[in-house]
Amino acid sequence: MLIPSWTEMSLRRRVPVLIILSLMLAAGASCSYEQEAPIGLPGCLDKCGNISVPFPFGMNRGCFRLGFEVECNHTFQPPRLFFAKGPWSPGNYGPTQETRDWYTLAGQEIQEIEQFLPLEILGISLSEGLVRTHGDISLDCSINETFIWVRGQQTYLSGPYLLSTRNVATAIGWSFDAKLTQSLRGSGYMKSCSVRLEASNMGRNGSCSGEGCCEVTVKENLNSVSVFLVQTSPYPGIEPNSCSYGMVAERGWYNFSTPDFHGFALLHKYPRGVPLLADFAIRDDLCPPQGQGHACVSSNSFCVNVTNGPGYICKCHHGYDGNPYISNGCQDIDECALRIKHPELQDIYPCSSGGICKNTPGGYDCPCKSGLRGDGKSGTCTEKFPLPAKIAVGSILGLLVAAFFVFLVLLQKERRKMEDFFVKNGGPTLEKAKMIKIYKKEDLKPILKSNNFIGKGGFGEVYKGFLDNQLVAVKKPIFSGNVTDVEQFANEVIIQSQVIHKNIVRLIGCCLEVDIPMLVYEFLSKGSLDDILHGSSQVPLDLNARLNIAAESAEGLAYMHSKTSNIILHGDVKPANILLDDNFVPKISDFGISRLIAVEKQHTNSVIGDMSYMDPVYLQTGLLTDKSDVYCFGVVLLELISRKKARHSDNNSLVKAFLDAHKTQKGATELFDKEILEPKDLEFLNKILDIAVECLDLDVDKRPEMTEVAERLLMLKRSRNK
Ligand SMILES: *[C@@H]1O[C@H](CO)[C@@H](O)[C@H](O)[C@H]1NC(C)=O
Ligand SMILES: *[C@@H]1O[C@H](CO)[C@@H](O)[C@H](O)[C@H]1NC(C)=O
Ligand SMILES: *[C@@H]1O[C@H](CO)[C@@H](O)[C@H](O)[C@H]1NC(C)=O
Ligand SMILES: *[C@@H]1O[C@H](CO)[C@@H](O)[C@H](O)[C@H]1NC(C)=O
Ligand SMILES: *[C@@H]1O[C@H](CO)[C@@H](O)[C@H](O)[C@H]1NC(C)=O
Ligand SMILES: *[C@@H]1O[C@H](CO)[C@@H](O)[C@H](O)[C@H]1NC(C)=O
């Protein structure tokens, strides 16, 4: 099938007037292979020299898909790879390069040399579905005025191969009209282009538009290409010893350069020919719509229909690379490793500098490092907090830290203050006393709440609560100013804590970590005598009970007054400071403390004690003695027998009334409380009144001692109970 065209060309060559580059196409209809599954791929050679040979290509029997056989010729160094020649059935040849050279001297053909060589393979690209082979260059050279050398070449592709449309047919020539002709498979379609050179216009580098160079695109479905240069008319300007060329080569490979048509420049530049691309495909199978072509045996592979001719090629899924034609051929691409190995791929596999590249099956992730936000793969990792925010957060943090330190300093100061108070309030002295418990500020905090508040006196506020599993009353002094005689206070507290008497409220402990020490007392359920006598609920109280309260209160006071080493004065004896337990047993409270405060208040010339009970002598002299307590107790006795409240506001009328009644000997009968006024008890009441009046004597020396008062009241109690 070759011969006619070559003959035709040879004949034409005898009348050389025209360059014709013709692409002749041989029908590929006769390609037919038996479907044969590839087997035994392991153990197959996959390299020839430095050229990779992937399946479906292969060199040995069982190593290739039919039609994809290639041969490695080891007589070359390095070895060179060729399409296999066969065996082919009649009419079928392996991809072949045919070259013919004619030499003509003075119009007479003197020699013709014909060569059939397998096409050499320069590279195989599975993903592009192409084989880079190389074709010869057709030429028409005037060696001298009479000697002409013409070379024609034809490339035959067969089996799964077609001439790639990524080729372009180019003619460059020296003062010729030129024609490029190509024909489609089975139809003989021809196309031509002309080259014209004039002495005035020798063409431009890189431009292939008719001046010294012209080109024609290659159609689909070509499986044979031949390039003929036919000179149809002699041109006077032709340089001796120069050539015109025709070639089919990869588009973009050749860049027209004007010196190329002087002498044998082009031929010398490319002695082994020009790169020619051949498309291959699995031509004997269909790619189903789902893309699962039979030849694509690897997982993660799929088939795509080719555009040049029938059939498909196999591809690995996105993120996988390798040979989709063998099992497990498609391997996951480790994009992250690639990025490191080939920095130029960092544009293809982007991962922002703030991201951490992590390979995944079929892809990779690029999460941003902590502290950064965004996605390093699709965008950039940016600071989670931009600078202004950072500054803001920074300053806020700074302020917080500063605030924290200020707080620490304040806390330290507070602690020091508490320590100072502790020392100032006689803590070190009190700590030595085993009888009294020193409470921390925190211990009392839960008790000092408004719903625990039970009363308020001249001394301070009183709260009720549980401490160490017992009911206690916490007294929180409210007066302001410094307690000057701290040592004295501490001593008195110690003394009182050591005084355990049934008629004196027991001091359990105190808290010294505050400006004014807080005191913790036993809690007494019935409240104060003031409440009992004058409260809203008018508790019935018979004479015995009253006598008992009087006698025992006196006993408590007497006990304190009688202590030889330290006389402890009350200073504010009144019903409100006499508390009663469940059995109406009286207990004197605020013992000693009031006195202390009274001493303190003396300097301010204001009297802290209740004016209603205040000893007028003390008011005059400002000197608090045990007899001041006796006076006050006298008032308490009057309240006990009258159930009337002594009031300073009504000019002490209660005391005056009793004193007057007592003086006139008329009897104070009408002043006594009706509840206890029984004829048989009148004598008792008068005896009590006698004691009271003695206590109220303005001559301090005539007032009885507290012990005497207690004794006399006790005797009265006993005589009545006989
Ligand atoms: C093979 O080696 C030759 C030279 O040694 C080089 O020009 C060619 O590009 C190499 N081919 C491949 C596919 O590496
Ligand atoms: C290898 O190439 C040489 C030179 O072209 C040729 O003579 C020989 O037959 C080739 N060998 C094979 C096995 O094709
Ligand atoms: C042209 O070249 C041929 C071969 O080298 C030679 O035989 C012939 O004499 C040459 N003719 C001229 C006119 O130089
Ligand atoms: C084309 O480029 C070559 C060098 O590559 C230079 O020698 C020649 O003069 C250039 N031709 C034109 C027409 O610019
Ligand atoms: C071809 O050559 C021209 C001129 O020298 C140049 O501008 C152009 O980039 C070249 N093209 C290629 C593909 O090398
Ligand atoms: C490939 O082409 C065939 C025949 O034209 C068609 O039936 C099939 O759907 C195509 N496959 C794909 C994946 O496009």
Side-chain angles (χ1 to χ4, degrees):
M1 66 188 251
L2 275 173
I3 308 308
S5 50
W6 286 110
T7 314
E8 190 185 355
M9 203 200 82
S10 311
L11 287 171
R12 273 200 204 133
R13 186 66 194 91
R14 290 191 182 103
V15 200
V17 272
L18 194 73
I19 294 176
I20 300 173
L21 289 161
S22 85
L23 302 167
M24 282 230 16
L25 307 158
S30 49
C31 303
S32 66
Y33 308 99
E34 306 265 315
Q35 177 73 23
E36 190 184 82
I39 49 156
L41 287 173
C44 292
L45 289 173
D46 60 359
K47 271 246 160 37
C48 176
N50 62 354
I51 298 170
S52 297
V53 182
F55 187 82
F57 299 87
M59 289 171 278
N60 302 102
R61 189 173 170 77
C63 288
F64 52 87
R65 190 183 174 98
L66 191 60
F68 289 91
E69 185 182 1
V70 292
E71 284 177 2
C72 192
N73 191 327
H74 291 273
T75 58
F76 299 102
Q77 209 44 250
R80 285 158 68 174
L81 186 68
F82 298 88
F83 288 104
K85 290 187 290 284
W88 306 101
S89 56
N92 280 302
Y93 302 85
T96 308
Q97 178 75 53
E98 182 184 358
T99 310
R100 280 195 189 194
D101 293 287
W102 290 274
Y103 301 94
T104 314
L105 190 61
Q108 294 296 312
E109 184 179 307
I110 55 167
Q111 202 184 3
E112 181 182 341
I113 299 167
E114 187 181 31
Q115 266 188 305
F116 284 89
L117 290 172
L119 263 179
E120 185 174 358
I121 296 172
L122 304 176
I124 298 166
S125 169
L126 288 187
S127 59
E128 289 172 290
L130 62 83
V131 178
R132 181 170 279 105
T133 171
H134 74 86
D136 259 342
I137 301 173
S138 297
L139 46 85
D140 188 329
C141 301
S142 299
I143 309 297
N144 58 33
E145 273 138 28
T146 55
F147 187 47
I148 290 164
W149 171 32
V150 174
R151 165 179 282 181
Q153 56 82 22
Q154 186 158 10
T155 301
Y156 299 99
L157 297 177
S158 58
Y161 309 104
L162 286 176
L163 189 68
S164 175
T165 51
R166 282 166 278 198
N167 295 305
V168 66
T170 309
I172 61 168
W174 182 261
S175 301
F176 288 94
D177 284 338
K179 270 187 184 172
L180 280 175
T181 307
Q182 64 180 4
S183 56
L184 285 173
R185 176 152 78 164
S187 76
Y189 171 82
M190 310 275 280
K191 205 179 176 188
S192 64
C193 76
S194 302
V195 175
R196 176 179 293 278
L197 274 188
E198 289 165 10
S200 58
N201 188 355
M202 302 294 277
R204 278 181 295 122
N205 282 339
S207 159
C208 197
S209 53
E211 279 136 9
C213 176
C214 73
E215 61 186 19
V216 161
T217 54
V218 172
K219 297 258 179 210
E220 310 85 28
N221 273 328
L222 306 181
N223 67 349
S224 174
V225 59
S226 58
V227 182
F228 299 112
L229 301 174
V230 181
Q231 198 174 14
T232 51
S233 64
Y235 191 82
I238 188 167
E239 242 181 36
N241 207 355
S242 69
C243 304
S244 296
Y245 306 94
M247 57 193 172
V248 180
E250 183 178 1
R251 191 198 311 273
W253 168 82
Y254 177 70
N255 203 356
F256 176 56
S257 172
T258 53
D260 280 352
F261 49 80
H262 295 286
F264 296 94
L266 190 82
L267 209 56
H268 290 152
K269 247 171 155 176
Y270 311 111
R272 283 176 63 182
V274 295
L276 174 71
L277 301 183
D279 288 339
F280 73 84
I282 307 298
R283 306 281 182 194
D284 50 1
D285 189 25
L286 287 178
C287 178
Q290 301 77 21
Q292 295 307 314
H294 293 112
C296 312
V297 299
S298 175
S299 50
N300 297 307
S301 73
F302 64 105
C303 62
V304 282
N305 283 331
V306 293
T307 51
N308 189 8
Y312 64 83
I313 58 169
C314 298
K315 284 179 181 286
C316 288
H317 277 134
H318 185 75
Y320 292 84
D321 196 15
N323 189 347
Y325 298 95
I326 60 171
S327 58
N328 292 323
C330 289
Q331 299 287 314
D332 174 48
I333 298 173
D334 188 346
E335 292 87 354
C336 299
L338 274 180
R339 278 173 50 82
I340 294 163
K341 211 168 160 191
H342 304 287
E344 69 272 14
L345 291 180
Q346 293 186 354
D347 289 342
I348 297 165
Y349 304 122
C351 183
S352 172
S353 56
I356 306 157
C357 195
K358 282 182 184 158
N359 188 45
T360 59
Y364 72 103
D365 291 330
C366 179
C368 291
K369 287 174 187 160
S370 67
L372 301 177
R373 73 189 158 124
D375 181 38
K377 192 175 171 183
S378 59
T380 51
C381 293
T382 51
E383 298 276 346
K384 231 172 211 163
F385 302 105
L387 192 62
K390 254 187 181 166
I391 289 170
V393 168
S395 17
I396 288 167
L397 275 181
L399 283 177
L400 281 180
V401 168
F404 179 69
F405 277 111
V406 167
F407 174 74
L408 273 189
V409 167
L410 288 178
L411 198 73
Q412 190 64 28
K413 224 172 162 186
E414 178 67 20
R415 199 169 292 154
R416 209 170 295 144
K417 206 165 117 195
M418 274 156 59
E419 279 166 15
D420 286 351
F421 283 140
F422 184 79
V423 172
K424 192 189 80 179
N425 291 331
T429 319
L430 283 175
E431 266 180 337
K432 287 177 214 143
K434 298 263 155 55
M435 301 299 292
I436 187 159
K437 193 160 177 198
I438 311 281
Y439 290 103
K440 289 202 173 303
K441 204 174 170 184
E442 282 77 48
D443 298 335
L444 304 185
K445 223 173 189 172
I447 297 173
L448 301 173
K449 281 189 292 196
S450 57
N451 48 345
N452 288 335
F453 180 79
I454 51 170
K456 190 172 175 175
F459 181 69
E461 292 171 345
V462 185
Y463 295 85
K464 171 188 169 184
F466 267 98
L467 208 57
D468 303 331
N469 282 325
Q470 63 175 324
L471 260 180
V472 296
V474 177
K475 294 208 174 178
K476 185 183 169 194
I478 46 167
F479 75 83
S480 59
N482 289 326
V483 176
T484 48
D485 202 353
V486 179
E487 269 303 309
Q488 195 186 345
F489 164 81
N491 279 329
E492 297 217 24
V493 168
I494 292 169
I495 289 159
Q496 209 197 326
S497 66
Q498 287 168 342
V499 171
I500 296 179
H501 188 274
K502 63 180 172 59
N503 300 118
I504 293 168
V505 173
R506 193 161 68 83
L507 178 69
I508 296 168
C510 62
C511 172
L512 304 172
E513 293 173 343
V514 281
D515 195 356
I516 302 150
M518 290 187 284
L519 300 163
V520 181
Y521 291 95
E522 65 176 312
F523 180 79
L524 297 168
S525 59
K526 285 287 188 286
S528 71
L529 181 60
D530 193 58
D531 294 336
I532 302 281
L533 290 177
H534 314 300
S536 50
S537 55
Q538 290 288 322
V539 180
L541 210 59
D542 62 20
L543 185 57
N544 272 348
R546 295 187 201 206
L547 202 49
N548 189 55
I549 289 170
E552 295 207 20
S553 302
E555 224 176 286
L557 280 168
Y559 176 78
M560 295 307 277
H561 285 185
S562 69
K563 296 212 82 176
T564 48
S565 51
N566 302 75
I567 291 179
I568 298 174
L569 309 177
H570 195 286
D572 194 15
V573 176
K574 56 179 178 178
N577 281 339
I578 296 170
L579 306 181
L580 300 164
D581 73 4
D582 294 342
N583 303 315
F584 288 96
V585 174
K587 291 177 189 241
I588 311 280
S589 80
D590 285 0
F591 217 107
I593 309 307
S594 301
R595 204 219 79 170
L596 182 70
I597 291 156
V599 167
E600 165 75 6
K601 288 291 164 181
Q602 205 176 27
H603 301 287
T604 62
N605 270 336
S606 69
V607 177
I608 188 73
D610 196 321
M611 291 298 286
S612 310
Y613 307 89
M614 195 57 70
D615 173 11
V617 176
Y618 162 58
L619 278 179
Q620 273 169 19
T621 62
L623 188 68
L624 189 70
T625 65
D626 54 347
K627 294 293 176 66
S628 305
D629 282 349
V630 172
Y631 179 91
C632 298
F633 187 74
V635 182
V636 172
L637 283 180
L638 295 185
E639 285 201 18
L640 265 173
I641 53 178
S642 68
R643 206 183 257 229
K644 285 198 179 69
K645 204 167 163 57
R647 279 182 218 283
H648 178 62
S649 55
D650 61 5
N651 213 13
N652 288 330
S653 61
L654 181 72
V655 175
K656 276 203 175 79
F658 268 110
L659 286 178
D660 290 348
H662 190 260
K663 234 181 262 170
T664 57
Q665 294 297 322
K666 271 188 224 164
T669 315
E670 55 198 47
L671 292 172
F672 294 133
D673 185 5
K674 301 284 176 294
E675 187 191 338
I676 51 169
L677 186 57
E678 283 181 34
K680 65 175 172 80
D681 288 332
L682 195 60
E683 188 193 346
F684 275 105
L685 289 170
N686 277 319
K687 277 180 181 167
I688 295 170
L689 179 59
D690 285 343
I691 296 169
V693 168
E694 277 179 55
C695 290
L696 295 167
D697 200 313
L698 286 177
D699 186 349
V700 172
D701 294 333
K702 285 186 181 165
R703 289 180 197 163
E705 296 285 339
M706 214 51 231
T707 42
E708 192 193 329
V709 174
E711 225 163 87
R712 283 165 67 182
L713 285 169
L714 186 66
M715 270 153 48
L716 274 180
K717 193 175 103 176
R718 283 191 186 143
S719 66
R720 185 176 152 75
N721 288 344
K722 251 181 251 168

